[in-house]
Amino acid sequence: MPKLDDFFDEIDTARVRRAKELSEVKRSFGQLTSGDVYGVASKAVVVLAYANWEGFYNECVRAYLRFLVEKGGKVRDKDWMLLVSAFHADFESMRDRNHSFDSRQAFVKKLQARIDCGFDAVDGKLVEARSNLDFARLSENYGLLNFDLSTMQKVRNRLDKELVGWRHAVAHGDSPDLTTMDVEAHISFTSSLLILIADRFQFAMLARI
């Protein structure tokens, strides 16, 4: 049986570290944005806030999957949709062989053994952020993890428009209108999302004990 407190502490420690970094971003760039002619400071805030959002989510995924591996059991018993991730390499092999009849036969032959796989067979990259953690991607990943998405519904628009949308524009060389961006509010919003993510993963762990 995995030590739940250890995994909770890992997530809490990571969240506090991210919160402190976000606080430092606010302190360092908050006063600069008012006279920021080219929007450099505002863009820096946007990119760093998103980096902490994505980075923390990925940390939670990795901790959660290690928790599942330590707890043991078969993926299909409680996490049927995670088989999508466990079979990822087999799906890719079929695609690489143009979904030929031979590749389908090979997949079915392997299926008998694969269907009883443990959590060590899960490819965590499939439920990580993959560089664009907007609401659609989060919804997709939560579906595989069998997580309740309701707590994220209320932040959906702001998540997509501000945290992800602004960062996406900056990362691709565009200049989104950030003149009305409130640095303190943007950082506070990002920090609140970290709490929602931490709660979701920790609750999922607790529900399995």
PDB file of all heavy atoms in Angstrom, residues 94-125:
ATOM      1  N   MET A  94       0.211   0.198 -35.268  1.00  0.00           N
ATOM      2  CA  MET A  94      -0.808  -0.024 -36.301  1.00  0.00           C
ATOM      3  C   MET A  94      -0.835   1.119 -37.305  1.00  0.00           C
ATOM      4  O   MET A  94      -0.929   0.903 -38.512  1.00  0.00           O
ATOM      5  CB  MET A  94      -2.189  -0.163 -35.648  1.00  0.00           C
ATOM      6  CG  MET A  94      -2.609  -1.594 -35.402  1.00  0.00           C
ATOM      7  SD  MET A  94      -4.409  -1.810 -35.286  1.00  0.00           S
ATOM      8  CE  MET A  94      -4.862  -0.600 -34.056  1.00  0.00           C
ATOM      9  N   ARG A  95      -0.756   2.332 -36.794  1.00  0.00           N
ATOM     10  CA  ARG A  95      -0.775   3.494 -37.685  1.00  0.00           C
ATOM     11  C   ARG A  95       0.432   3.504 -38.601  1.00  0.00           C
ATOM     12  O   ARG A  95       0.312   3.768 -39.801  1.00  0.00           O
ATOM     13  CB  ARG A  95      -0.799   4.786 -36.856  1.00  0.00           C
ATOM     14  CG  ARG A  95      -0.980   6.049 -37.694  1.00  0.00           C
ATOM     15  CD  ARG A  95      -0.698   7.291 -36.912  1.00  0.00           C
ATOM     16  NE  ARG A  95       0.703   7.360 -36.502  1.00  0.00           N
ATOM     17  CZ  ARG A  95       1.243   8.363 -35.831  1.00  0.00           C
ATOM     18  NH1 ARG A  95       0.500   9.381 -35.467  1.00  0.00           N
ATOM     19  NH2 ARG A  95       2.517   8.344 -35.502  1.00  0.00           N
ATOM     20  N   ASP A  96       1.609   3.195 -38.038  1.00  0.00           N
ATOM     21  CA  ASP A  96       2.833   3.179 -38.837  1.00  0.00           C
ATOM     22  C   ASP A  96       2.772   2.138 -39.954  1.00  0.00           C
ATOM     23  O   ASP A  96       3.447   2.269 -40.978  1.00  0.00           O
ATOM     24  CB  ASP A  96       4.053   2.906 -37.950  1.00  0.00           C
ATOM     25  CG  ASP A  96       4.340   4.063 -37.001  1.00  0.00           C
ATOM     26  OD1 ASP A  96       3.816   5.164 -37.245  1.00  0.00           O
ATOM     27  OD2 ASP A  96       5.067   3.856 -36.007  1.00  0.00           O
ATOM     28  N   ARG A  97       1.964   1.110 -39.741  1.00  0.00           N
ATOM     29  CA  ARG A  97       1.805   0.063 -40.759  1.00  0.00           C
ATOM     30  C   ARG A  97       0.511   0.264 -41.546  1.00  0.00           C
ATOM     31  O   ARG A  97      -0.019  -0.660 -42.162  1.00  0.00           O
ATOM     32  CB  ARG A  97       1.829  -1.315 -40.088  1.00  0.00           C
ATOM     33  CG  ARG A  97       3.167  -1.621 -39.421  1.00  0.00           C
ATOM     34  CD  ARG A  97       3.096  -2.821 -38.502  1.00  0.00           C
ATOM     35  NE  ARG A  97       2.790  -4.065 -39.206  1.00  0.00           N
ATOM     36  CZ  ARG A  97       2.583  -5.233 -38.611  1.00  0.00           C
ATOM     37  NH1 ARG A  97       2.652  -5.303 -37.275  1.00  0.00           N
ATOM     38  NH2 ARG A  97       2.308  -6.310 -39.318  1.00  0.00           N
ATOM     39  N   ASN A  98       0.052   1.523 -41.543  1.00  0.00           N
ATOM     40  CA  ASN A  98      -1.128   1.929 -42.319  1.00  0.00           C
ATOM     41  C   ASN A  98      -2.380   1.113 -42.001  1.00  0.00           C
ATOM     42  O   ASN A  98      -3.230   0.877 -42.866  1.00  0.00           O
ATOM     43  CB  ASN A  98      -0.836   1.853 -43.826  1.00  0.00           C
ATOM     44  CG  ASN A  98       0.273   2.793 -44.241  1.00  0.00           C
ATOM     45  OD1 ASN A  98       0.267   3.965 -43.875  1.00  0.00           O
ATOM     46  ND2 ASN A  98       1.236   2.273 -44.981  1.00  0.00           N
ATOM     47  N   HIS A  99      -2.480   0.703 -40.745  1.00  0.00           N
ATOM     48  CA  HIS A  99      -3.653  -0.056 -40.291  1.00  0.00           C
ATOM     49  C   HIS A  99      -3.943  -1.256 -41.184  1.00  0.00           C
ATOM     50  O   HIS A  99      -5.103  -1.586 -41.479  1.00  0.00           O
ATOM     51  CB  HIS A  99      -4.891   0.845 -40.207  1.00  0.00           C
ATOM     52  CG  HIS A  99      -4.753   1.949 -39.209  1.00  0.00           C
ATOM     53  ND1 HIS A  99      -4.227   3.190 -39.528  1.00  0.00           N
ATOM     54  CD2 HIS A  99      -5.043   2.000 -37.875  1.00  0.00           C
ATOM     55  CE1 HIS A  99      -4.226   3.957 -38.437  1.00  0.00           C
ATOM     56  NE2 HIS A  99      -4.704   3.260 -37.430  1.00  0.00           N
ATOM     57  N   SER A 100      -2.886  -1.881 -41.627  1.00  0.00           N
ATOM     58  CA  SER A 100      -3.026  -3.050 -42.500  1.00  0.00           C
ATOM     59  C   SER A 100      -3.684  -4.207 -41.762  1.00  0.00           C
ATOM     60  O   SER A 100      -3.765  -4.210 -40.523  1.00  0.00           O
ATOM     61  CB  SER A 100      -1.649  -3.493 -43.009  1.00  0.00           C
ATOM     62  OG  SER A 100      -0.862  -3.965 -41.922  1.00  0.00           O
ATOM     63  N   PHE A 101      -4.133  -5.195 -42.510  1.00  0.00           N
ATOM     64  CA  PHE A 101      -4.750  -6.372 -41.905  1.00  0.00           C
ATOM     65  C   PHE A 101      -3.771  -7.071 -40.973  1.00  0.00           C
ATOM     66  O   PHE A 101      -4.137  -7.508 -39.879  1.00  0.00           O
ATOM     67  CB  PHE A 101      -5.222  -7.341 -42.994  1.00  0.00           C
ATOM     68  CG  PHE A 101      -5.888  -8.575 -42.451  1.00  0.00           C
ATOM     69  CD1 PHE A 101      -7.168  -8.517 -41.915  1.00  0.00           C
ATOM     70  CD2 PHE A 101      -5.225  -9.791 -42.450  1.00  0.00           C
ATOM     71  CE1 PHE A 101      -7.784  -9.650 -41.402  1.00  0.00           C
ATOM     72  CE2 PHE A 101      -5.830 -10.932 -41.931  1.00  0.00           C
ATOM     73  CZ  PHE A 101      -7.120 -10.867 -41.407  1.00  0.00           C
ATOM     74  N   ASP A 102      -2.507  -7.175 -41.395  1.00  0.00           N
ATOM     75  CA  ASP A 102      -1.490  -7.829 -40.563  1.00  0.00           C
ATOM     76  C   ASP A 102      -1.292  -7.079 -39.250  1.00  0.00           C
ATOM     77  O   ASP A 102      -1.128  -7.696 -38.191  1.00  0.00           O
ATOM     78  CB  ASP A 102      -0.154  -7.912 -41.313  1.00  0.00           C
ATOM     79  CG  ASP A 102      -0.171  -8.976 -42.403  1.00  0.00           C
ATOM     80  OD1 ASP A 102      -1.084  -9.816 -42.379  1.00  0.00           O
ATOM     81  OD2 ASP A 102       0.728  -8.949 -43.272  1.00  0.00           O
ATOM     82  N   SER A 103      -1.295  -5.748 -39.317  1.00  0.00           N
ATOM     83  CA  SER A 103      -1.091  -4.965 -38.089  1.00  0.00           C
ATOM     84  C   SER A 103      -2.279  -5.118 -37.141  1.00  0.00           C
ATOM     85  O   SER A 103      -2.116  -5.139 -35.925  1.00  0.00           O
ATOM     86  CB  SER A 103      -0.872  -3.485 -38.429  1.00  0.00           C
ATOM     87  OG  SER A 103      -2.067  -2.854 -38.863  1.00  0.00           O
ATOM     88  N   ARG A 104      -3.475  -5.251 -37.695  1.00  0.00           N
ATOM     89  CA  ARG A 104      -4.657  -5.452 -36.855  1.00  0.00           C
ATOM     90  C   ARG A 104      -4.632  -6.828 -36.202  1.00  0.00           C
ATOM     91  O   ARG A 104      -5.002  -6.975 -35.025  1.00  0.00           O
ATOM     92  CB  ARG A 104      -5.922  -5.285 -37.697  1.00  0.00           C
ATOM     93  CG  ARG A 104      -6.093  -3.874 -38.246  1.00  0.00           C
ATOM     94  CD  ARG A 104      -7.341  -3.738 -39.074  1.00  0.00           C
ATOM     95  NE  ARG A 104      -7.331  -2.477 -39.810  1.00  0.00           N
ATOM     96  CZ  ARG A 104      -8.376  -2.011 -40.497  1.00  0.00           C
ATOM     97  NH1 ARG A 104      -9.496  -2.710 -40.537  1.00  0.00           N
ATOM     98  NH2 ARG A 104      -8.284  -0.874 -41.139  1.00  0.00           N
ATOM     99  N   GLN A 105      -4.197  -7.810 -36.966  1.00  0.00           N
ATOM    100  CA  GLN A 105      -4.064  -9.148 -36.398  1.00  0.00           C
ATOM    101  C   GLN A 105      -3.066  -9.154 -35.244  1.00  0.00           C
ATOM    102  O   GLN A 105      -3.311  -9.750 -34.185  1.00  0.00           O
ATOM    103  CB  GLN A 105      -3.590 -10.130 -37.477  1.00  0.00           C
ATOM    104  CG  GLN A 105      -4.686 -10.761 -38.299  1.00  0.00           C
ATOM    105  CD  GLN A 105      -4.163 -11.925 -39.108  1.00  0.00           C
ATOM    106  OE1 GLN A 105      -3.099 -11.835 -39.719  1.00  0.00           O
ATOM    107  NE2 GLN A 105      -4.904 -13.015 -39.116  1.00  0.00           N
ATOM    108  N   ALA A 106      -1.937  -8.483 -35.474  1.00  0.00           N
ATOM    109  CA  ALA A 106      -0.900  -8.419 -34.446  1.00  0.00           C
ATOM    110  C   ALA A 106      -1.430  -7.735 -33.191  1.00  0.00           C
ATOM    111  O   ALA A 106      -1.139  -8.150 -32.065  1.00  0.00           O
ATOM    112  CB  ALA A 106       0.320  -7.677 -34.980  1.00  0.00           C
ATOM    113  N   PHE A 107      -2.238  -6.677 -33.371  1.00  0.00           N
ATOM    114  CA  PHE A 107      -2.807  -5.969 -32.228  1.00  0.00           C
ATOM    115  C   PHE A 107      -3.722  -6.882 -31.413  1.00  0.00           C
ATOM    116  O   PHE A 107      -3.645  -6.931 -30.180  1.00  0.00           O
ATOM    117  CB  PHE A 107      -3.584  -4.734 -32.707  1.00  0.00           C
ATOM    118  CG  PHE A 107      -4.286  -4.004 -31.595  1.00  0.00           C
ATOM    119  CD1 PHE A 107      -3.590  -3.131 -30.770  1.00  0.00           C
ATOM    120  CD2 PHE A 107      -5.639  -4.211 -31.355  1.00  0.00           C
ATOM    121  CE1 PHE A 107      -4.224  -2.469 -29.732  1.00  0.00           C
ATOM    122  CE2 PHE A 107      -6.286  -3.549 -30.323  1.00  0.00           C
ATOM    123  CZ  PHE A 107      -5.582  -2.679 -29.507  1.00  0.00           C
ATOM    124  N   VAL A 108      -4.584  -7.605 -32.104  1.00  0.00           N
ATOM    125  CA  VAL A 108      -5.527  -8.488 -31.407  1.00  0.00           C
ATOM    126  C   VAL A 108      -4.794  -9.629 -30.690  1.00  0.00           C
ATOM    127  O   VAL A 108      -5.164 -10.022 -29.586  1.00  0.00           O
ATOM    128  CB  VAL A 108      -6.578  -9.047 -32.390  1.00  0.00           C
ATOM    129  CG1 VAL A 108      -7.448 -10.099 -31.711  1.00  0.00           C
ATOM    130  CG2 VAL A 108      -7.452  -7.914 -32.920  1.00  0.00           C
ATOM    131  N   LYS A 109      -3.726 -10.130 -31.311  1.00  0.00           N
ATOM    132  CA  LYS A 109      -2.942 -11.193 -30.673  1.00  0.00           C
ATOM    133  C   LYS A 109      -2.329 -10.706 -29.362  1.00  0.00           C
ATOM    134  O   LYS A 109      -2.274 -11.434 -28.372  1.00  0.00           O
ATOM    135  CB  LYS A 109      -1.836 -11.681 -31.620  1.00  0.00           C
ATOM    136  CG  LYS A 109      -2.325 -12.584 -32.736  1.00  0.00           C
ATOM    137  CD  LYS A 109      -1.168 -13.011 -33.634  1.00  0.00           C
ATOM    138  CE  LYS A 109      -1.654 -13.916 -34.754  1.00  0.00           C
ATOM    139  NZ  LYS A 109      -0.536 -14.304 -35.676  1.00  0.00           N
ATOM    140  N   LYS A 110      -1.869  -9.452 -29.370  1.00  0.00           N
ATOM    141  CA  LYS A 110      -1.261  -8.884 -28.169  1.00  0.00           C
ATOM    142  C   LYS A 110      -2.307  -8.520 -27.114  1.00  0.00           C
ATOM    143  O   LYS A 110      -2.008  -8.436 -25.928  1.00  0.00           O
ATOM    144  CB  LYS A 110      -0.457  -7.632 -28.519  1.00  0.00           C
ATOM    145  CG  LYS A 110       0.809  -7.885 -29.321  1.00  0.00           C
ATOM    146  CD  LYS A 110       1.497  -6.559 -29.615  1.00  0.00           C
ATOM    147  CE  LYS A 110       2.766  -6.750 -30.449  1.00  0.00           C
ATOM    148  NZ  LYS A 110       3.387  -5.441 -30.771  1.00  0.00           N
ATOM    149  N   LEU A 111      -3.526  -8.284 -27.572  1.00  0.00           N
ATOM    150  CA  LEU A 111      -4.570  -7.763 -26.687  1.00  0.00           C
ATOM    151  C   LEU A 111      -4.850  -8.693 -25.511  1.00  0.00           C
ATOM    152  O   LEU A 111      -5.086  -8.230 -24.390  1.00  0.00           O
ATOM    153  CB  LEU A 111      -5.847  -7.532 -27.491  1.00  0.00           C
ATOM    154  CG  LEU A 111      -7.012  -6.846 -26.758  1.00  0.00           C
ATOM    155  CD1 LEU A 111      -6.586  -5.474 -26.235  1.00  0.00           C
ATOM    156  CD2 LEU A 111      -8.211  -6.713 -27.691  1.00  0.00           C
ATOM    157  N   GLN A 112      -4.807  -9.981 -25.748  1.00  0.00           N
ATOM    158  CA  GLN A 112      -5.115 -10.929 -24.683  1.00  0.00           C
ATOM    159  C   GLN A 112      -4.202 -10.758 -23.481  1.00  0.00           C
ATOM    160  O   GLN A 112      -4.630 -10.836 -22.331  1.00  0.00           O
ATOM    161  CB  GLN A 112      -5.017 -12.363 -25.215  1.00  0.00           C
ATOM    162  CG  GLN A 112      -5.524 -13.413 -24.227  1.00  0.00           C
ATOM    163  CD  GLN A 112      -5.593 -14.795 -24.844  1.00  0.00           C
ATOM    164  OE1 GLN A 112      -5.066 -15.037 -25.918  1.00  0.00           O
ATOM    165  NE2 GLN A 112      -6.256 -15.715 -24.147  1.00  0.00           N
ATOM    166  N   ALA A 113      -2.915 -10.495 -23.765  1.00  0.00           N
ATOM    167  CA  ALA A 113      -1.955 -10.271 -22.684  1.00  0.00           C
ATOM    168  C   ALA A 113      -2.036  -8.838 -22.159  1.00  0.00           C
ATOM    169  O   ALA A 113      -1.953  -8.590 -20.954  1.00  0.00           O
ATOM    170  CB  ALA A 113      -0.541 -10.572 -23.161  1.00  0.00           C
ATOM    171  N   ARG A 114      -2.234  -7.890 -23.073  1.00  0.00           N
ATOM    172  CA  ARG A 114      -2.245  -6.475 -22.693  1.00  0.00           C
ATOM    173  C   ARG A 114      -3.434  -6.105 -21.814  1.00  0.00           C
ATOM    174  O   ARG A 114      -3.345  -5.206 -20.983  1.00  0.00           O
ATOM    175  CB  ARG A 114      -2.279  -5.600 -23.950  1.00  0.00           C
ATOM    176  CG  ARG A 114      -1.069  -5.691 -24.842  1.00  0.00           C
ATOM    177  CD  ARG A 114       0.064  -4.877 -24.307  1.00  0.00           C
ATOM    178  NE  ARG A 114       1.084  -4.650 -25.315  1.00  0.00           N
ATOM    179  CZ  ARG A 114       2.242  -4.075 -25.067  1.00  0.00           C
ATOM    180  NH1 ARG A 114       2.525  -3.672 -23.832  1.00  0.00           N
ATOM    181  NH2 ARG A 114       3.131  -3.902 -26.024  1.00  0.00           N
ATOM    182  N   ILE A 115      -4.552  -6.775 -22.012  1.00  0.00           N
ATOM    183  CA  ILE A 115      -5.773  -6.386 -21.317  1.00  0.00           C
ATOM    184  C   ILE A 115      -5.640  -6.514 -19.808  1.00  0.00           C
ATOM    185  O   ILE A 115      -6.363  -5.860 -19.053  1.00  0.00           O
ATOM    186  CB  ILE A 115      -6.963  -7.222 -21.832  1.00  0.00           C
ATOM    187  CG1 ILE A 115      -8.297  -6.532 -21.519  1.00  0.00           C
ATOM    188  CG2 ILE A 115      -6.931  -8.638 -21.268  1.00  0.00           C
ATOM    189  CD1 ILE A 115      -8.555  -5.279 -22.290  1.00  0.00           C
ATOM    190  N   ASP A 116      -4.729  -7.341 -19.353  1.00  0.00           N
ATOM    191  CA  ASP A 116      -4.526  -7.522 -17.907  1.00  0.00           C
ATOM    192  C   ASP A 116      -3.331  -6.730 -17.377  1.00  0.00           C
ATOM    193  O   ASP A 116      -2.820  -7.035 -16.293  1.00  0.00           O
ATOM    194  CB  ASP A 116      -4.328  -9.007 -17.596  1.00  0.00           C
ATOM    195  CG  ASP A 116      -5.616  -9.796 -17.718  1.00  0.00           C
ATOM    196  OD1 ASP A 116      -6.678  -9.239 -17.385  1.00  0.00           O
ATOM    197  OD2 ASP A 116      -5.574 -10.961 -18.155  1.00  0.00           O
ATOM    198  N   CYS A 117      -2.914  -5.690 -18.115  1.00  0.00           N
ATOM    199  CA  CYS A 117      -1.713  -4.937 -17.735  1.00  0.00           C
ATOM    200  C   CYS A 117      -1.919  -4.158 -16.439  1.00  0.00           C
ATOM    201  O   CYS A 117      -3.042  -3.809 -16.064  1.00  0.00           O
ATOM    202  CB  CYS A 117      -1.304  -3.985 -18.851  1.00  0.00           C
ATOM    203  SG  CYS A 117      -2.473  -2.635 -19.163  1.00  0.00           S
ATOM    204  N   GLY A 118      -0.805  -3.879 -15.772  1.00  0.00           N
ATOM    205  CA  GLY A 118      -0.817  -3.038 -14.587  1.00  0.00           C
ATOM    206  C   GLY A 118      -0.539  -1.593 -14.960  1.00  0.00           C
ATOM    207  O   GLY A 118      -0.352  -1.262 -16.143  1.00  0.00           O
ATOM    208  N   PHE A 119      -0.470  -0.727 -13.969  1.00  0.00           N
ATOM    209  CA  PHE A 119      -0.312   0.702 -14.236  1.00  0.00           C
ATOM    210  C   PHE A 119       1.086   1.072 -14.732  1.00  0.00           C
ATOM    211  O   PHE A 119       1.283   2.165 -15.260  1.00  0.00           O
ATOM    212  CB  PHE A 119      -0.670   1.509 -12.983  1.00  0.00           C
ATOM    213  CG  PHE A 119      -2.134   1.475 -12.681  1.00  0.00           C
ATOM    214  CD1 PHE A 119      -2.659   0.570 -11.757  1.00  0.00           C
ATOM    215  CD2 PHE A 119      -3.003   2.322 -13.331  1.00  0.00           C
ATOM    216  CE1 PHE A 119      -4.007   0.520 -11.480  1.00  0.00           C
ATOM    217  CE2 PHE A 119      -4.369   2.297 -13.064  1.00  0.00           C
ATOM    218  CZ  PHE A 119      -4.872   1.377 -12.141  1.00  0.00           C
ATOM    219  N   ASP A 120       2.027   0.159 -14.569  1.00  0.00           N
ATOM    220  CA  ASP A 120       3.359   0.419 -15.107  1.00  0.00           C
ATOM    221  C   ASP A 120       3.359   0.434 -16.635  1.00  0.00           C
ATOM    222  O   ASP A 120       4.307   0.909 -17.253  1.00  0.00           O
ATOM    223  CB  ASP A 120       4.372  -0.611 -14.589  1.00  0.00           C
ATOM    224  CG  ASP A 120       3.944  -2.037 -14.878  1.00  0.00           C
ATOM    225  OD1 ASP A 120       2.735  -2.294 -15.014  1.00  0.00           O
ATOM    226  OD2 ASP A 120       4.832  -2.911 -14.968  1.00  0.00           O
ATOM    227  N   ALA A 121       2.284  -0.057 -17.258  1.00  0.00           N
ATOM    228  CA  ALA A 121       2.185  -0.061 -18.713  1.00  0.00           C
ATOM    229  C   ALA A 121       1.609   1.245 -19.265  1.00  0.00           C
ATOM    230  O   ALA A 121       1.629   1.482 -20.473  1.00  0.00           O
ATOM    231  CB  ALA A 121       1.324  -1.237 -19.175  1.00  0.00           C
ATOM    232  N   VAL A 122       1.106   2.100 -18.383  1.00  0.00           N
ATOM    233  CA  VAL A 122       0.483   3.356 -18.810  1.00  0.00           C
ATOM    234  C   VAL A 122       1.548   4.353 -19.268  1.00  0.00           C
ATOM    235  O   VAL A 122       2.531   4.588 -18.569  1.00  0.00           O
ATOM    236  CB  VAL A 122      -0.351   3.968 -17.671  1.00  0.00           C
ATOM    237  CG1 VAL A 122      -0.830   5.372 -18.034  1.00  0.00           C
ATOM    238  CG2 VAL A 122      -1.533   3.063 -17.348  1.00  0.00           C
ATOM    239  N   ASP A 123       1.358   4.909 -20.441  1.00  0.00           N
ATOM    240  CA  ASP A 123       2.255   5.936 -20.971  1.00  0.00           C
ATOM    241  C   ASP A 123       1.792   7.295 -20.444  1.00  0.00           C
ATOM    242  O   ASP A 123       0.811   7.864 -20.929  1.00  0.00           O
ATOM    243  CB  ASP A 123       2.231   5.910 -22.502  1.00  0.00           C
ATOM    244  CG  ASP A 123       3.191   6.908 -23.134  1.00  0.00           C
ATOM    245  OD1 ASP A 123       3.814   7.697 -22.381  1.00  0.00           O
ATOM    246  OD2 ASP A 123       3.323   6.911 -24.367  1.00  0.00           O
ATOM    247  N   GLY A 124       2.496   7.802 -19.453  1.00  0.00           N
ATOM    248  CA  GLY A 124       2.088   9.045 -18.805  1.00  0.00           C
ATOM    249  C   GLY A 124       2.041  10.248 -19.719  1.00  0.00           C
ATOM    250  O   GLY A 124       1.280  11.187 -19.482  1.00  0.00           O
ATOM    251  N   LYS A 125       2.823  10.224 -20.791  1.00  0.00           N
ATOM    252  CA  LYS A 125       2.869  11.381 -21.693  1.00  0.00           C
ATOM    253  C   LYS A 125       1.510  11.655 -22.327  1.00  0.00           C
ATOM    254  O   LYS A 125       1.213  12.782 -22.704  1.00  0.00           O
ATOM    255  CB  LYS A 125       3.921  11.153 -22.783  1.00  0.00           C
ATOM    256  CG  LYS A 125       5.344  11.227 -22.274  1.00  0.00           C
ATOM    257  CD  LYS A 125       6.353  11.107 -23.412  1.00  0.00           C
ATOM    258  CE  LYS A 125       7.782  11.354 -22.918  1.00  0.00           C
ATOM    259  NZ  LYS A 125       8.171  10.441 -21.834  1.00  0.00           N
TER     260      LYS A 125
END
